[in-house]
């Protein structure tokens, strides 16, 4: 019977997490349990299994899950119900995937009676925070191992040397010098950091982008989509009912073809520094526009404004890793409650990077043509009411100015 | 000596305000003083003078002002310092012009000893509120005449009949049936409402748009711009220093050529109904992106988030007509204070409707490459600090979960 | 068969609403349906029935309801879950009763097929708004009659003359000149406005107060209470389970004896003016302290802060009459969600006007003595973590200052 | 020439900081510079000088400052302009003193060319954060020494042993076992933590309180005060002009005599745990009431509400130690701007623990008796306006309900 500590590692099968795997075995004499998830990053998972076996992981300690539907249904869609943007622009593609991975890792730790979990995020980024806040919230006494904060393999060279020594297969690209972009992908987006992006005044390389064509290369013909919404979530595309993951995949496909969803940004990390990132979020960019469009006719004004007032706060919670916090949950309850009547369809036009809403309708529409019309409305709205409305809204300002004058005179 | 009441009318020279002019003379025996402003709507003002004279206005009662610089410098730019968007999308092109017109009208009323002011906004819209809140805030005891809320000329036919009878020249377009779009233009935007836009599921007509080419018709070559900012305001374009109005005009020109700034929206009016509007805001769309870009490297994270948390509220104040209110002024003081270090340049790419930031730099940049780098930072940042940071941020959630478990057991 | 319009009148049985009753009969030839509710104002309801009969109301048109339990359970307690204070001080005693009356009036209108409702609130106050926003939200096409905004009985003398002529019995107090305080009472509070309170620099008369003794007259011995809470609501007092209305009545009784809950205030009305009011809210003052006390040990920090950040907005919604609005409901969903673990007891001391929490405990307590202690905690908390926590929280400010210096040098 | 590191220590002269002083000499071979400030804690400072000399500090390395005026003028008063309360109840007496000490310590470090600063706050509390965020914000590259997070003297016994060995005089109270309360005092308050307060269900001991008499022991006669305000700050008491520190001292004196300002609280620390504290803030309690009173007649409604909406956030910033942050400064700019017309006087009554506003007046009063009156106002306010005001405010809710019905039918 082994008394070695068990560690559940979030394992991608790539170079970095393979080095971590080995390092956990070497440094902690750990029995490593690997967890590899398909959240739509677009890579085969079987190679990860093979590599794990090759690195000595017992078959029963290899967990490979397809979490795509859960990811979109329980994380991406709830977030989009709030029209969520971090710092006015970022669709939170990386942030929203971490809580799911943390949750599943903890579940596996319970199942395998592991005392520890480990991840491959660095000590400078947001992801370590997102993973670990999730771990601690769900399993408060878990031991967290964050190799990047512990080891001394901080340069690319040392890492490669360790890998070589440990017999970890190294792909050609890693050997051919030059730090790669730090990339992260899932069904919602792919991100790029590092390398010459570290200079905010340097333009991103054209070859960097992977999911979308450049607007210049997109088709000359616009594409029109119809999205149907039910309680704030998209359920059908051009009349065809799709599961959440199918929906996002389909929109990524179409959006990518039309050059939709590129973003080049300097953002503020939770750990206190600014960082430059480039993102491709084709489906998400369409979903944000679509959701604003369907809400525009189905949501009460003050409810919409309440949501807008809370949006940045909600976005920051997700960005900072507080998905599993009680305050995020409380906000979610409010947000979800507001979506009851957010039903209907939105017609969107995609063209060379642009996404625009061109039409929308709903059986729950609050748009009242009789009242909105510039033509005679047959008395539906009494224009004289506006006089009193303005008078009372102006009253406090009139009193203030009259008071000021009385005093001055 | 005349005892007729004096009324300062916001006069465009168009059909509607000409009918109002006549109606004020007829119904109030008013001595009408016309006020026509150039705020960049792109129309000659001299015809308005001629028409006023033709309608019997004394030359000394005709006021024509070029307010373009004041408009952009004191209204548009301050608003853009907050990255202001109403309901997530609308750049407030109409809203921001009304306070200036109201202010100037009151100044003229004082100068001419007029007791009243009048405007041509209907009783269903936001503009009546914006005008009148401005009037009352600045001159609390002014008498406001809002003909559209008083008269019975509520249909197009009645209006034309009145005009004809009054000898007001009617342009051909008005006679040829079909209600025109309700349009409003100034240096920031042109807007369209009414007609078949009143059906939110009907797509806007291609011929409606006036300021921008369709993205499909825009040049095949992207255009790169460099905007220089000083304390949050753009001061130079591609190295050439421009006045505020010149800047906005130049950006409108370039943006329009590249199909930038179209928006089709259902929005919530302050008077309680939803309404559909289409907008072209080429320069403003560029400015929003540019300002976010320069702030991204020069603004402290928490200051940026504070601004984001207040933005929707600030936008709603402007949309609803509270520019001259003490609460808008208080928010402005905060916003302006945050812009001290918002200096530097942003490089933008325009291409067939898209505006994207591709580079940015500033002598006040808070981006610290040494710390942000994925490479070895030579100790500038101690990764171990992150462990404590996460631990303490997680503590309340860990205690909560442990408490729950203790109770459950 | 009568074709006279039916009007449901909120009828107190007092002079003012009796005049309104008559005036509705005279001016609208209305078939008046009276609705009199016991919401704890402390007056017999049977005299109202007698008076209504005397004024010609058919017995089947007289509705008298005891709404005390509903009032406290569905309106007062939900509001207290948010520690609600308007403008930092006012416990919203009047505001919270109006939505219930509006709702019941609409129910009776439906039951009796009445097309109209009427109330006795003046055109200057908040209550008209609260009543009518309720009516319209629940029954959008109801006809509202607000006699004080329509008639010319605006002086006390005219009102009395009308009453006399109409054969309405007038109590001695009304005849003996001197405008009475405008008062409003229900289980939550009694309020006073008008008369010499209209001068904010005049002190309130000692004889004005009705529900509480002056602190000077309160017992020399303090009184200790124990309140038990379940999901944010008080359910037992000193170990005795009480219904909501019993609870509030009991706390009013004890609080009143100990001089608790007087308030003298200038507040901002929704209709645009400032007004001076005096309030006695003995039970409510205890409940606010008690609720803060039980939340202090059971609520997560960030949830508590989220509630605090939203509280003033929620209070303003209730003050302004938006109880039945979708935005108040959305906020309520969030607030109620946070109260799941707000269970336990609070010990309070009442003494001559003071209410103080002296002890509190809960099975859901998040207070962790092991961690909070100043003594050795046996490793429950690692003090070294604080160093990293502070370092990362300071990072952005350090970078900013270093940047500033580099630039300056 | 010495190469020993120089450390500026926040030195109270008490046991703990004397041990730290010695420990810095022993462990860092430090040349210690002591800084002792009078911020109104009510202790002689000369004994601290004597003790420092006794412990081997060179006279030129002993800094003793009277910071009382600066403390109240530049920290306490600005904070009170926002009616600041943390978690609805706490007046932030400790939090507001830390930034001043941090600032002065940094100034002395610059003056003496010291590379380090040290403080005596523990690793579990908020004060370490407040001190160190201040240090880092003002002097980003300062070295911070926090002995409580470094050493192993975590129990009372070890500390006393170290002191004895180091020849530090130990007062009798420390020897007589039983952990003392952890106390902190300055002109704004005195606080108590620890000991049996660590059990939130245990009542505080009567003998614990030091600054105020128990309400039961306070005079039978109420005391009336008149506070005069200028731009939001109190400048005269009962007609006598006082400096900021004199004002707060005088109010502490009177408040303390009347049993005003005791508070017993469980609060949420920034480092993640709940903690129980007792506070005496006699003058501050009076100032909060007074400031709300003067604002109630001089502040515009929406400005007041904006402040209320931001208050909890501002309070949390101060509580968490972000006084020197750019976001606190930005909020302060807004808050200060709103105080321009907050002039006038407030009359308050103190009686056995109660503080109540009984009258208030201002030359800048926005209270308009003509309009507020229940009597005939001679047309100053047109009650009919209220009808339109309500109608338009209700419109969105009416449309929503009508829409719902149409759909349901």
């Amino acid at each position: 019977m082994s008394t070695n500590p068990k560690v559940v590692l979030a394992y991608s099968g790539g170079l970095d997490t393979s080095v971590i795997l080995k390092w956990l075995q070497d440094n902690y004499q750990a029995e490593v349990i690997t967890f590899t998830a398909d959240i739509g990053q677009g890579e085969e998972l079987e190679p990860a299994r093979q590599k794990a076996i090759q690195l000595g992981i017992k078959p029963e300690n290899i967990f490979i899950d397809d979490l795509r539907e859960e990811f979109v249904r329980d994380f991406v869609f709830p977030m989009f119900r709030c029209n969520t943007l971090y710092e006015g622009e970022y669709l939170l593609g990386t942030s929203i995937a971490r809580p799911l991975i943390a949750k599943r890792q903890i579940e596996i730790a319970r199942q395998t009676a592991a005392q520890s979990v480990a991840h491959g995020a660095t000590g400078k980024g947001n992801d370590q925070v997102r993973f670990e806040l999730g771990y601690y919230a769900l399993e408060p006494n878990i031991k967290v191992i964050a190799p990047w904060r512990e080891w001394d393999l901080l340069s690319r060279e040392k890492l490669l040397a360790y890998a070589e020594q440990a017999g970890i297969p190294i792909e050609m690209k890693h050997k051919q010098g030059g730090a790669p972009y730090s990339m992260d992908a899932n069904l919602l987006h792919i991100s790029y950091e590092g390398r010459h992006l570290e200079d905010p005044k340097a333009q991103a390389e054209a070859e960097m982008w992977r999911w979308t064509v450049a607007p210049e290369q997109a088709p000359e013909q616009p594409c029109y989509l119809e999205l149907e919404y039910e309680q704030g979530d998209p359920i059908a595309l051009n009349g065809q009912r799709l599961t959440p993951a199918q929906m996002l995949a389909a929109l990524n496909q179409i959006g990518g073809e039309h050059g939709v969803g590129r973003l080049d940004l300097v953002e503020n990390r939770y750990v206190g520094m600014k960082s430059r990132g480039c993102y491709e979020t084709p489906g998400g960019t369409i979903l944000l526009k679509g959701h604003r469009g369907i809400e525009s006719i189905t949501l009460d004004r003050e409810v919409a404004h309440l949501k807008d007032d809370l949006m940045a706060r909600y976005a920051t919670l997700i960005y900072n890793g507080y998905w599993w916090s009680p305050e995020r949950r409380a906000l979610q309850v409010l947000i979800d409650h507001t979506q009851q009547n957010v039903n209907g369809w939105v017609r969107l036009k995609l063209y060379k990077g642009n996404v625009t809403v061109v039409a929308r309708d709903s059986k729950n529409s609050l748009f009242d043509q009789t009242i909105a019309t510039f033509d005679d409305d047959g008395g539906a709205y009494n224009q004289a009411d506006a006089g009193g409305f303005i008078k009372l809204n102006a009253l406090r300002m009139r009193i203030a100015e009259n008071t000021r004058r009385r005093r001055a005179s």
Side-chain angles (χ1 to χ4, degrees), chain A:
Chain A
M1 186 197 131
S2 157
T3 57
N4 294 355
K6 290 179 166 185
V7 182
V8 181
L9 170 66
Y11 183 63
S12 71
L15 176 65
D16 289 19
T17 52
S18 294
V19 171
I20 288 175
L21 192 164
K22 212 64 199 159
W23 183 87
L24 289 169
Q25 293 171 332
D26 294 350
N27 277 53
Y28 285 89
Q29 284 70 50
E31 178 180 345
V32 176
I33 295 137
T34 61
F35 161 55
T36 311
D38 185 352
I39 49 170
Q41 63 269 50
E43 281 168 15
E44 296 291 319
L45 302 188
E46 278 313 305
R49 185 192 306 277
Q50 294 318 316
K51 211 157 169 190
I53 286 171
Q54 207 178 325
L55 293 169
I57 306 302
K58 303 183 215 157
E60 67 268 30
N61 277 347
I62 298 176
F63 287 77
I64 293 188
D65 293 317
D66 182 348
L67 301 179
R68 287 175 298 172
E69 288 296 345
E70 184 179 1
F71 174 51
V72 183
R73 185 187 64 229
D74 296 345
F75 296 80
V76 175
F77 279 7
M79 180 172 79
F80 273 81
R81 288 177 207 142
C82 195
N83 306 313
T84 315
L85 284 176
Y86 180 65
E87 301 190 337
E89 310 202 82
Y90 173 38
L91 283 159
L92 294 168
T94 301
S95 329
I96 193 63
R98 301 319 190 190
L100 170 55
I101 292 171
K103 166 178 159 270
R104 189 69 192 111
Q105 235 176 314
I106 291 298
E107 286 168 357
I108 293 170
R110 286 184 196 141
Q111 199 178 325
T112 59
Q115 309 80 8
S116 307
V117 287
H119 62 74
T122 79
K124 278 189 174 179
N126 296 304
D127 284 335
Q128 57 175 341
V129 190
R130 295 167 187 153
F131 281 126
E132 299 179 29
L133 289 180
Y135 301 150
Y136 288 132
L138 299 170
E139 190 57 52
N141 308 311
I142 196 80
K143 182 171 158 48
V144 175
I145 302 174
W148 283 98
R149 297 203 304 261
E150 299 184 22
W151 68 24
D152 59 351
L153 309 177
L154 291 176
S155 73
R156 214 65 217 156
E157 293 69 35
K158 292 188 191 163
L159 196 81
L160 287 170
Y162 191 98
E164 198 145 85
Q165 188 189 8
I168 298 168
I170 303 173
E171 290 175 74
M172 197 50 80
K173 65 177 178 186
H174 291 302
K175 291 186 183 163
Q176 292 167 331
Y181 290 108
S182 171
M183 287 188 286
D184 177 66
N186 58 50
L187 253 180
L188 183 52
H189 89 348
I190 181 166
S191 68
Y192 311 88
E193 291 186 302
R195 220 157 129 179
H196 80 295
L197 292 179
E198 289 183 2
D199 177 2
K201 68 179 173 296
Q203 224 166 303
E205 298 170 305
E207 318 82 72
M208 178 190 73
W209 309 95
R210 301 193 166 200
W211 278 22
T212 61
V213 303
E216 288 88 337
Q217 267 73 62
E220 297 299 323
Q221 292 306 316
C223 160
Y224 288 85
L225 297 180
E226 201 171 291
L227 277 177
E228 196 183 332
Y229 281 85
E230 214 171 78
Q231 299 196 29
D233 295 336
I235 53 151
L237 174 60
N238 294 327
Q240 193 184 351
R241 212 171 168 99
L242 297 175
T243 66
Q246 289 168 346
M247 173 65 75
L248 190 46
L251 294 176
N252 280 337
Q253 173 70 24
I254 309 174
E257 283 169 15
H258 286 275
V260 166
R262 293 185 173 189
L263 182 65
D264 179 332
L265 196 68
V266 174
E267 74 200 46
N268 290 290
R269 286 199 195 144
Y270 190 29
V271 291
M273 70 196 68
K274 288 183 182 290
S275 102
R276 205 267 193 89
C278 287
Y279 303 100
E280 291 172 281
T281 320
T285 302
I286 298 169
L287 285 178
L288 175 66
K289 279 281 183 182
H291 191 258
R292 280 248 175 231
I294 190 63
E295 280 197 343
S296 77
I297 53 169
T298 57
L299 220 56
D300 170 79
R301 180 186 71 200
E302 294 301 312
V303 169
H305 292 191
L306 175 59
K307 284 185 66 208
D308 281 349
D309 286 341
L310 293 171
M311 186 276 278
R313 180 179 200 145
Y314 175 80
T316 300
L317 285 177
I318 295 176
Y319 184 86
N320 288 352
Y322 290 92
W323 181 266
W324 297 112
S325 73
E327 65 272 22
R328 200 281 310 170
R329 294 176 198 235
L331 283 170
Q332 195 70 54
V333 165
L334 182 154
I335 293 162
D336 292 353
H337 168 85
T338 65
Q339 301 294 295
Q340 294 168 51
N341 291 327
V342 180
N343 308 311
W345 59 261
V346 173
R347 196 165 159 74
L348 297 130
K349 175 188 172 190
L350 311 191
Y351 174 69
K352 285 187 178 285
N354 299 282
V355 192
T356 45
V357 172
V358 297
R360 66 299 268 168
D361 200 15
S362 168
K363 66 179 176 10
N364 300 84
S365 177
L366 298 172
F367 188 96
D368 188 326
Q369 208 159 330
T370 331
I371 284 185
T373 185
F374 280 87
D375 294 330
D376 198 323
D377 64 9
Y381 175 97
N382 181 359
Q383 302 214 14
D385 287 340
F389 178 74
I390 296 168
K391 272 290 189 66
L392 291 210
N393 279 316
L395 186 56
R396 64 187 167 95
M397 296 191 284
R398 293 175 60 217
I399 292 173
E401 180 59 13
N402 274 327
T403 305
R404 197 188 62 74
R405 291 180 182 191
R406 235 175 279 142
R407 210 168 53 242
S409 67

